[in-house]
Amino acid sequence: MSTAVLPRENYLNTDYGLRSWFLTTDHKRICILYLLTITLFFAIGGAFATVMRLDLATPAADLVSDETYNKMFTMHGIIMVFFFLVPSIPATLGNFLIPMMVGAKDVAFPKLNLASWYIFTAGGCFTLWALISGGVDSGWTFYTPFSTLSSNTNVTLAALGIFIAGFSSILTGLNFMVTIHRMRAPGLTWFRMPLFLWSMYAASLIFVLGTPVIAITLLLVAAERVLHLGIFDPARGGDPVLFQHLFWFYSHPAVYIMVVPGMGVVSEIVAAFSRKRIFGYTFVAFSSLAIAILGFLVWGHHLFVAGISVYSALVFSLLSYFVAIPSAIKVFNWTATLYKGSISFATPMLYAFGFIWMFTIGGLTGLFLAALGIDIHVTDTYFVIAHFHYIMVGGAIMAYLGGLHYWWPKMTGRLYPEGWGKLGFITVFLGFNLTFFPQFILGYMGMPRRYHAYPPEFQTLNVLSSAGASILAIGYLIPLVYLLWSLKYGPIAGPNPWGAKGLEWTTSSPPPKHNFETTPIVTEPAYNYSELEETAVV
Amino acid sequence: MWPSLFPEEASTIAPRVDALYFFLVAVSCFFVVLIAGMLLLFAIKYRRRHEHDVGASIHGGMVLEVTWTLIPLGIALIMFVWGAKVYFDEYTPPPGNSVIVYGLAKQWMWKFPPMDGQREINELHVPVNQRVKLIMTSQDVIHSFFVPDFRVKMDVLPGRYRTMWFEATRTGTFHLFCAEYCGTGHSRMVGQIVVMSPSDYQAWVAGGVSHNTLASAGQTLFTNLACASCHSAASGSRGPVLNGIYEQRVKLQGGQSVIADDAYLRESIMNPAAKVAEGYQPIMPTYQGLVDDEQLLELIEYIKTLKPAAASAPSVTTSEPEGQGTSQPITEHGKSSSAVSSPSAAPTAQR
Ligand SMILES: [Cu+2]
Ligand SMILES: [Cu+2]
């Protein structure tokens, strides 16, 4: 290890000037640009959460005013959902890995890829502007007619910011789909692809099909505010519930944008650290597509108390149960993969275990919300908050961090300190569960979400939750510190520090500008650890 | 400490929601233990012992895949059916006699205009062991009526009437929350439901008789807004006579018909052209903007109290004898007091 050196020429040292970064079309450098941008957004969104949790430690609303509190949870939601979670895995790991995993030099449209980052950043700036120049208090859900008639904050500006950033999602999704279709190396058939590609393909499908709907919806909100069209205003013959249908038509699938790529990452990690092919490869691959498609048919489960007919509620409840099945299939298959594997407890694998834990709890509590009779009671309470944080923060961020650790040596050429890695994981894991598990109980007790002040009987659990949040905050800082440290002092990783399978591990770390010296030719299925001849897929 | 971590079961529906909840908790615990247990077991048993070890060559198994698809699917279907049953009962007000309450939500308070008795803000008095039917609307944005101890919740929408019901089973005071984010004072939009024993409730109702009941306020409006210039027997049938119209089938132009429920009456006043009664010209002006939500309730309540004119009343089949079963004395509505048949034999004195 001590004799190892970084490859003389790699994508990081070909050029150093600012121009070479801001005008780069290299997917790996664009990944780094996204990484920096979304880390910034994560920090801002996290700061809002910290203040909220501090305020909620006491029942009286004593730290900030009601207005400020409402702006905080709104901006926390907007930033975390649209500017961190949605782009997190796709724009960073997806950008870095898709071309490498298909054995290509770059994505199909490198310039469009750079444009996507600029559009994303422009949208982000718009939203930050909305925030600095007074804030937004409509909730990240922008429910009408509050957002259109009642709120006198920067709703229009924030909506436009998200509208703009949406184009980045659409273009990125398009780029990934074309790359996966057209740029696979010779021999890389669909069923030899790593599962990460399948999940990115599914997520891209949602990007392309779903994002236009949220774009139109937010545009309508902006238009209604400015021009008083009357689409959502009942006094003008509009329907406020229409907004909720449109909004969730995107925003439910958007949850899968956040978690399906995470599932792909977990499949990679579980295979690599069990040195074993994923159990039921085809089932795991197709379950990603099934989730993406079924995910478009369940938006109504956000409206069970909002004013839809009893019969449509039945249909949406049933479909919501169906979408749970492919998720369950994945969890069972990951678990089965461990059987007779060669299992290492490296940090990425710990994060994968963490993901499975969080996702299992998040998924199972989803069944509660899909059960119509229970949903009436727990919807719009902390139960829902806990549920979707288990999926989107517990699940998606665990996978993101796991993936970041797993591919960090590939991206930077250096290893992070393993002991600190494990410590970071344990802190995040404990902090997260302590923050959000009490919220399930709080929710069932009846504490509504978005409450600044609350009755005193809810305090004990809120204090626990706030304590957990402080641990969680430290937990997120630990990796930030040691990953930065490793950039300079981490041990040199070498091309394949984990002994993992996959095209990305066949080239040097960090990879050269064009990824591979020669175009790779694929002759075996993914995760062929046992070096067997290709066998028929199940 | 334990009892305080679980909401009270203070309505007829609450134990049913909780039973389903505990079933789901049990199923969830089973799967969490199963999955976490397997993960730990495998991870420890098959931990890597030598640096270059690889896993066994196992690629999948059809039998397993089918098993772990079908078993969860079966369990999910049980949850679906059970959940749907509870929802259906919770969101379809059962026929029969119930106390009717109007609810008006606005930023950031709950108003319960007096049917009679006392005008209430952020507080609602109801009798125990008797069904309460709530007809709610919002004057501005969307709010949500949520009583955790009853396990009931329903969004309250502007421009629309929504009806929910509950039957409290314990006396006491229970939280009322607004569960849909509605702006600055959202977390202050709280109130309480006071559930009283029948005798206390009667005393409370009697103690607050005010002269400005909903219906009489509605009558004043009806006169002031000149509704009577079209809607009275004397008006030369420019408009239909409204006596006895509530909850009956009304024939519309074009052959369709509707039940004249609260929503229909509301629409007839705010947007008369939407559904035009058979045999009349659409000459009624809209009162959109002229009457607010509260006045609208007063008008509707007044229309409900108009007795069917004995001779001209068409022989209609009542859609469902709701009975206007307020336990309150204003039920002049001819049939209501006779239609009161309380099979549950609630001890409340029906007057
Ligand atoms: Cu409200
Ligand atoms: Cu509210």
Side-chain angles (χ1 to χ4, degrees):
Chain A
M1 208 56 103
S2 53
T3 53
V5 284
L6 289 179
R8 187 167 312 130
E9 192 160 289
N10 61 59
Y11 79 101
L12 291 169
N13 67 11
T14 42
D15 283 300
Y16 288 98
L18 273 185
R19 270 181 69 105
S20 74
W21 280 92
F22 286 107
L23 294 180
T24 184
T25 51
D26 182 348
H27 65 103
K28 301 184 286 305
R29 284 194 166 202
I30 294 174
C31 153
I32 305 288
L33 291 178
Y34 271 115
L35 199 60
L36 294 173
T37 326
I38 67 168
T39 306
L40 179 74
F41 280 119
F42 182 72
I44 300 173
F48 287 127
T50 312
V51 181
M52 285 194 295
R53 274 317 331 163
L54 277 176
D55 194 316
L56 289 174
T58 57
D62 35 23
L63 195 62
V64 296
S65 68
D66 285 356
E67 282 88 355
T68 313
Y69 183 83
N70 293 346
K71 286 177 185 169
M72 297 257 213
F73 72 66
T74 302
M75 296 309 297
H76 167 73
I78 292 181
I79 289 186
M80 287 303 205
V81 169
F82 296 107
F83 295 98
F84 176 73
L85 285 169
V86 164
S88 61
I89 294 179
T92 58
L93 298 175
N95 243 322
F96 196 93
L97 292 166
I98 290 175
M100 305 206 66
M101 285 184 167
V102 300
K105 282 186 185 142
D106 209 317
V107 291
F109 309 111
K111 285 180 188 149
L112 208 57
N113 200 15
L114 180 65
S116 303
W117 178 74
Y118 274 102
I119 296 170
F120 173 73
T121 311
C125 288
F126 243 87
T127 305
L128 285 180
W129 179 23
L131 181 161
I132 294 164
S133 63
V136 192
D137 75 345
S138 60
W140 78 275
T141 44
F142 292 96
Y143 270 23
T144 56
F146 178 75
S147 63
T148 45
L149 290 178
S150 181
S151 174
N152 52 8
T153 55
N154 293 332
V155 175
T156 314
L157 214 54
L160 285 181
I162 299 168
F163 174 78
I164 295 172
F167 286 94
S168 155
S169 295
I170 297 173
L171 294 178
T172 303
L174 202 71
N175 221 335
F176 288 172
M177 284 168 80
V178 176
T179 308
I180 294 173
H181 269 283
R182 307 292 306 156
M183 317 241 327
R184 280 172 288 124
L188 184 59
T189 57
W190 283 88
F191 291 99
R192 284 178 177 175
M193 289 197 322
L195 288 163
F196 181 72
L197 291 182
W198 278 98
S199 72
M200 282 310 310
Y201 188 86
S204 302
L205 210 63
I206 307 175
F207 270 141
V208 173
L209 295 179
T211 318
V213 179
I214 188 80
I216 293 165
T217 312
L218 291 175
L219 210 58
L220 287 178
V221 168
E224 175 115 347
R225 272 181 78 86
V226 179
L227 307 171
H228 309 288
L229 296 181
I231 296 166
F232 306 120
D233 178 1
R236 291 163 192 267
D239 179 4
V241 181
L242 171 65
F243 170 84
Q244 296 177 29
H245 285 280
L246 292 172
F247 179 82
W248 290 112
F249 186 85
Y250 164 80
S251 295
H252 187 78
V255 175
Y256 297 117
I257 292 183
M258 304 172 207
V259 80
V260 168
M263 294 167 160
V265 168
V266 168
S267 298
E268 296 302 311
I269 295 177
V270 167
F273 293 94
S274 320
R275 298 245 173 92
K276 198 160 161 280
R277 188 179 158 94
I278 288 284
F279 192 89
Y281 171 97
T282 19
F283 286 90
V284 179
F286 278 115
S287 62
S288 291
L289 289 181
I291 291 173
I293 293 162
L294 282 173
F296 275 107
L297 305 177
V298 300
W299 78 89
H301 67 208
H302 296 267
L303 281 79
F304 289 154
V305 305
I308 56 175
S309 79
V310 180
Y311 298 99
S312 59
L314 293 188
V315 174
F316 283 120
S317 167
L318 185 63
L319 288 169
S320 303
Y321 279 111
F322 287 157
V323 82
I325 302 302
S327 307
I329 292 179
K330 287 198 191 253
V331 171
F332 289 125
N333 278 301
W334 290 322
T335 310
T337 305
L338 300 184
Y339 178 71
K340 294 203 170 167
S342 159
I343 291 149
S344 140
F345 292 90
T347 307
M349 188 62 156
L350 295 183
Y351 276 109
F353 286 146
F355 174 94
I356 297 176
W357 171 262
M358 307 284 191
F359 183 71
T360 304
I361 294 184
L364 285 167
T365 51
L367 302 180
F368 288 66
L369 292 163
L372 288 163
I374 299 181
D375 184 73
I376 292 187
H377 177 53
V378 292
T379 186
D380 279 327
T381 69
Y382 267 81
F383 193 94
V384 174
I385 306 279
H387 158 72
F388 74 73
H389 280 83
Y390 262 87
I391 301 272
M392 287 157 51
V393 184
I397 297 190
M398 280 273 155
Y400 174 65
L401 286 175
L404 210 56
H405 283 82
Y406 177 46
W407 285 292
W408 189 256
K410 182 54 60 186
M411 291 160 70
T412 66
R414 291 182 187 268
L415 287 164
Y416 53 84
E418 182 63 31
W420 283 100
K422 291 200 163 82
L423 181 75
F425 164 76
I426 290 168
T427 323
V428 170
F429 185 79
L430 293 180
F432 180 89
N433 283 292
L434 187 57
T435 310
F436 291 103
F437 200 82
Q439 296 186 1
F440 284 122
I441 305 168
L442 261 182
Y444 203 78
M445 284 171 75
M447 178 161 165
R449 67 190 286 195
R450 296 170 169 178
Y451 259 34
H452 186 206
Y454 56 84
E457 65 260 34
F458 298 144
Q459 187 174 11
T460 317
L461 291 167
N462 269 296
V463 169
L464 277 184
S465 182
S466 293
S470 9
I471 299 176
L472 186 59
I474 298 173
Y476 287 140
L477 283 177
I478 297 174
L480 185 73
V481 172
Y482 69 70
L483 287 180
L484 287 177
W485 175 90
S486 77
L487 286 179
K488 197 154 162 56
Y489 305 105
I492 306 292
N496 189 359
W498 314 118
K501 284 275 175 182
L503 286 181
E504 76 271 28
W505 300 108
T506 60
T507 183
S508 53
S509 314
K513 191 163 193 278
H514 292 302
N515 297 346
F516 302 95
E517 302 295 333
T518 52
T519 303
I521 294 169
V522 181
T523 54
E524 54 177 24
Y527 322 117
N528 198 17
Y529 285 97
S530 49
E531 307 287 0
L532 286 182
E533 288 301 296
E534 181 169 2
T535 40
V537 274
V538 187
Chain B
M1 171 126 167
W2 161 245
S4 72
L5 289 184
F6 199 77
E8 268 190 68
E9 281 183 341
S11 75
T12 47
I13 207 86
R16 296 185 54 199
V17 174
D18 289 349
L20 173 59
Y21 176 71
F22 288 128
F23 170 67
L24 267 85
V25 169
V27 171
S28 302
C29 287
F30 171 77
F31 278 105
V32 168
V33 169
L34 179 79
I35 288 163
M38 301 272 261
L39 274 182
L40 274 181
L41 180 78
F42 291 160
I44 291 169
K45 186 157 181 216
Y46 302 111
R47 66 187 178 278
R48 190 173 300 167
R49 290 158 206 271
H50 304 286
E51 208 195 317
H52 295 291
D53 280 357
V54 295
S57 163
I58 303 170
H59 294 169
M62 200 49 150
V63 180
L64 272 176
E65 298 288 349
V66 171
T67 318
W68 63 48
T69 305
L70 289 186
I71 291 179
L73 188 66
I75 299 176
L77 288 179
I78 297 175
M79 293 175 180
F80 162 70
V81 173
W82 191 343
K85 181 85 187 73
V86 176
Y87 180 85
F88 212 86
D89 293 346
E90 206 170 332
Y91 267 15
T92 354
N97 171 46
S98 41
V99 173
I100 308 237
V101 178
Y102 288 103
L104 272 179
K106 59 177 271 188
Q107 287 167 327
W108 291 278
M109 60 164 83
W110 297 99
K111 293 200 285 184
F112 302 99
M115 283 292 276
D116 170 67
Q118 311 183 14
R119 179 183 193 80
E120 299 201 77
I121 288 187
N122 290 343
E123 201 171 52
L124 177 63
H125 287 73
V126 294
V128 74
N129 292 331
Q130 213 186 332
R131 271 200 297 268
V132 176
K133 193 167 132 186
L134 263 158
I135 300 165
M136 300 181 295
T137 190
S138 161
Q139 282 174 276
D140 38 49
V141 302
I142 300 179
H143 303 273
S144 190
F145 183 96
F146 177 33
V147 184
D149 294 322
F150 296 173
R151 313 285 187 279
V152 294
K153 184 186 289 124
M154 185 178 266
D155 282 8
V156 183
L157 306 173
R160 216 165 118 181
Y161 283 160
R162 301 205 66 203
T163 310
M164 67 178 282
W165 74 279
F166 60 80
E167 182 176 332
T169 53
R170 285 187 201 177
T171 54
T173 306
F174 304 98
H175 284 301
L176 160 63
F177 292 130
C178 172
E180 184 60 67
Y181 173 66
C182 54
T184 309
H186 167 56
S187 70
R188 323 271 171 185
M189 195 166 156
V190 296
Q192 47 192 350
I193 310 287
V194 182
V195 181
M196 308 173 95
S197 69
S199 54
D200 286 355
Y201 181 68
Q202 287 306 324
W204 178 82
V205 169
V209 174
S210 78
H211 294 292
N212 194 15
T213 61
L214 265 189
S216 69
Q219 182 166 24
T220 318
L221 274 174
F222 202 79
T223 318
N224 291 349
L225 293 170
C227 311
S229 66
C230 300
H231 291 292
S232 73
S235 67
S237 55
R238 297 175 67 194
V241 174
L242 298 177
N243 292 40
I245 185 179
Y246 184 57
E247 297 273 289
Q248 304 205 351
R249 200 162 274 286
V250 171
K251 286 220 174 75
L252 298 179
Q253 234 166 49
Q256 285 168 313
S257 69
V258 294
I259 301 283
D261 55 7
D262 291 84
Y264 173 75
L265 293 181
R266 176 182 205 288
E267 190 185 50
S268 295
I269 300 170
M270 299 308 253
N271 189 12
K275 298 194 182 82
V276 176
E278 189 181 45
Y280 294 93
Q281 293 303 309
I283 52 166
M284 173 163 162
T286 167
Y287 286 83
Q288 181 94 50
L290 293 177
V291 293
D292 64 24
D293 283 294
E294 196 163 348
Q295 292 172 320
L296 198 55
L297 286 183
E298 293 165 354
L299 279 173
I300 292 174
E301 193 49 37
Y302 172 66
I303 293 174
K304 289 187 194 172
T305 63
L306 292 173
K307 279 196 212 120
S312 62
S315 62
V316 278
T317 44
T318 334
S319 64
E320 80 181 12
E322 280 296 341
Q324 307 321 3
T326 64
S327 58
Q328 298 155 5
I330 58 144
T331 37
E332 316 163 1
H333 202 308
K335 58 186 178 333
S336 59
S337 37
S338 56
V340 165
S341 65
S342 183
S344 56
T348 325
Q350 289 286 345
R351 290 198 262 161

